Structures are given as C-alpha cells and as structure tokens.
Amino acid sequence: SKGEEEEEEEEKPKPRKRKGGGGLAAVKEISDALANFLGKGKKMARTEVVKELWNYIRDNELQDPNDKRKINLDDRMQDVFGTETFTMFSMNKYVSAHIHPFKPVDLTPKEPKKRKAKPKKEKNKDKKTRKSGTQAPYQLSAELTRVVGKEILPRPQVTQALWAYIRENNLQNPDDKREILCDAKLKAVMGGKDKVTMFSMNKYITPHMLEKLDKSYYTHPDEEENAKSNESETGSDSEEDSDGDE
C-alpha cells in the first residue's frame, strides 16, 4: 500500500555527504609564477603540483645522473624557484613558497628534539659539540655584506640574515607580504630593482655569492658558544690546580 511504501522510503539511510579533501590534497592558491609554469590555473592541490613538477623533471631529464636525489633546474624552473639546484628533500620547501600561505624558503637545518639531559661525565669535558648540517660558506660581495653584516656566510644563513634585515626595516609590502620594497642597500643587491618578490629574490642573491670557500672559513654561532664554554671550563680548572699547588 501507499502508506507502507512511504515508511520504507523513510527507513532508507540517507547517503553521507563527502567532505572536501584536506591536508596535502586541499586545493589552495598558487603563485603567478608557478601557475604560468604549470599551466593548470591559479588553484591546485599540493599533491597535484608535486606530481606535475616530477612529470616535468623526468620528461626533461633534470635528475643528476650521478645522484638521482639531486635536481638540476633548467632555465624555466630557475625563473620560478630562483635556484640552480635542489634535492628531492628540499624541493618541498621551494614548493611551499609558491602555495598559500607562501612561506619563505628556509633551508636552516632543524634542531633535533632535545632528550632529557644526562649527567655529564668528567671524561667528556674536553669534547667539542659540532653543529651538524653546516653548508660550505661563500665570500660575499661588498653590497651583500652591507645588508647581512658578514663577509662570509653559507647560503641558508644569507637567506636568514636577509629576512632579518627585511623585517627589521619593515620592507614587506603591507598589502602583499610576498612583495619586498627595496631600500637603497637592498636595491644594490637586487639588481637596482625598487621591488622584488620573495620568489625572485634568490636569483639576485646568487651573483653576490662570489666564491665558495672551505667549511673551515665559517664557524656556526653554536660552535662559537661551545668553544667559549670549553675555554671557561679550562680556565676554571687551571685556577683550581694553581690553588691546590699553593
């Protein structure tokens, strides 16, 4: 009967609505440079961006034949990412700079999670703790030195120092944080441009990194602190020894 049919229809479970993809599959705004390069529009999921980039890398044989983890960027990719090479591991950081919220590229090695401190043994007192992951430093141009305050720095520290300078001097465009408004010092580094983007900035920095130097030319700030603490410990030990001799 008609009444029974209506009851059956009411008992049927309603189909659940599918929720939109989240996380890496979430569709987000991408930069103009990346959108023009990929030709897939202004909004893409990170997974699709990475997939298209790998298709391009393989089609153009951009993987280093001696180390497949290293990607040698061609001119088109260099115009987008502002670097000559990256690895399959650092690639994601360069991609992130082109996907909303457009985080600047930061290649500073992450500090390992600190474990609970164990009591130090006396025999370990003379050992120095070295900073892992320090890249080879470069001799910097006079123009870049005036901005970052150092004549010799590895590339990650150059990027760090540049961003510190930009923030200290409020050089980001308040209406578009991806745009940098150059002051006189920065203009000398950025090819005389009045403004650059966080994406194009790297290609202007490279010519100012004049010569790659041996790692011994640069001491990481953490290593300097360790050296100072070791010196102070050695000094206090020698004072105690002299007191004992008296």
Side-chain angles (χ1 to χ4, degrees):
S1 69
K2 191 176 180 181
E4 288 174 353
E5 286 176 6
E6 287 177 356
E7 284 178 11
E8 284 177 11
E9 284 179 7
E10 285 175 7
E11 287 171 5
K12 285 181 183 177
K14 293 179 181 177
R16 290 183 182 178
K17 289 182 181 178
R18 280 191 174 184
K19 292 182 179 178
L24 298 177
V27 175
K28 295 185 177 181
E29 181 189 354
I30 63 175
S31 70
D32 291 337
L34 186 58
N36 292 336
F37 177 80
L38 297 175
K40 301 284 183 180
K42 274 288 289 175
K43 290 191 175 183
M44 289 180 73
R46 175 186 280 269
T47 49
E48 283 301 308
V49 170
V50 173
K51 180 182 172 183
E52 291 296 328
L53 284 173
W54 272 109
N55 287 341
Y56 183 88
I57 289 164
R58 291 190 181 103
D59 289 347
N60 292 276
E61 298 180 348
L62 300 181
Q63 282 179 280
D64 191 315
N66 299 318
D67 184 355
K68 293 289 187 181
R69 296 170 297 179
K70 185 179 175 183
I71 316 300
N72 298 316
L73 279 63
D74 62 7
D75 291 341
R76 283 193 68 210
M77 288 192 79
Q78 284 184 37
D79 285 344
V80 177
F81 297 105
T83 186
E84 293 176 2
T85 64
F86 52 53
T87 67
M88 60 173 62
F89 311 114
S90 64
M91 177 172 146
N92 274 327
K93 292 187 177 182
Y94 286 95
V95 170
S96 292
H98 289 272
I99 298 177
H100 188 272
F102 307 107
K103 293 180 181 177
V105 178
D106 183 3
L107 300 178
T108 309
K110 287 185 178 178
E111 293 288 342
K113 290 182 180 177
K114 290 183 179 179
R115 295 183 179 179
K116 289 183 180 178
K118 291 181 181 178
K120 288 185 180 178
K121 294 179 182 178
E122 287 296 319
K123 63 179 182 180
N124 292 333
K125 190 179 279 186
D126 296 331
K127 287 188 179 179
K128 291 183 180 179
T129 308
R130 290 195 63 80
K131 178 77 175 176
S132 61
T134 304
Q135 292 187 16
Y138 285 81
Q139 176 70 50
L140 308 181
S141 71
E143 293 85 358
L144 187 53
T145 297
R146 279 194 283 272
V147 174
V148 300
K150 300 270 186 181
E151 292 181 359
I152 295 172
L153 279 178
R155 189 171 193 114
Q157 277 69 33
V158 169
T159 305
Q160 232 177 0
L162 267 171
W163 274 104
Y165 180 86
I166 288 164
R167 291 188 180 109
E168 281 168 15
N169 293 278
N170 297 315
L171 299 181
Q172 280 179 283
N173 184 343
D175 298 322
D176 183 357
K177 294 287 187 181
R178 293 170 292 178
E179 194 172 72
I180 314 301
L181 308 174
C182 301
D183 62 6
K185 279 187 184 179
L186 200 56
K187 194 185 288 188
V189 175
M190 300 298 165
K193 301 279 185 184
D194 290 323
K195 58 185 178 182
V196 293
T197 68
M198 62 169 65
F199 313 120
S200 64
M201 200 165 66
N202 277 325
K203 72 179 179 184
Y204 293 109
I205 297 168
T206 303
H208 291 274
M209 301 179 75
L210 305 178
E211 183 185 355
K212 194 172 187 178
L213 304 173
D214 186 82
K215 286 187 179 183
S216 61
Y217 280 83
Y218 174 76
T219 305
H220 196 280
D222 285 3
E223 289 183 6
E224 288 180 0
E225 285 179 19
N226 287 328
K228 285 177 184 176
S229 64
N230 286 330
E231 283 173 14
S232 62
E233 283 178 10
T234 307
S236 61
D237 287 347
S238 55
E239 282 176 17
E240 285 173 10
D241 291 343
S242 62
D243 289 342
D245 292 340
E246 288 173 7

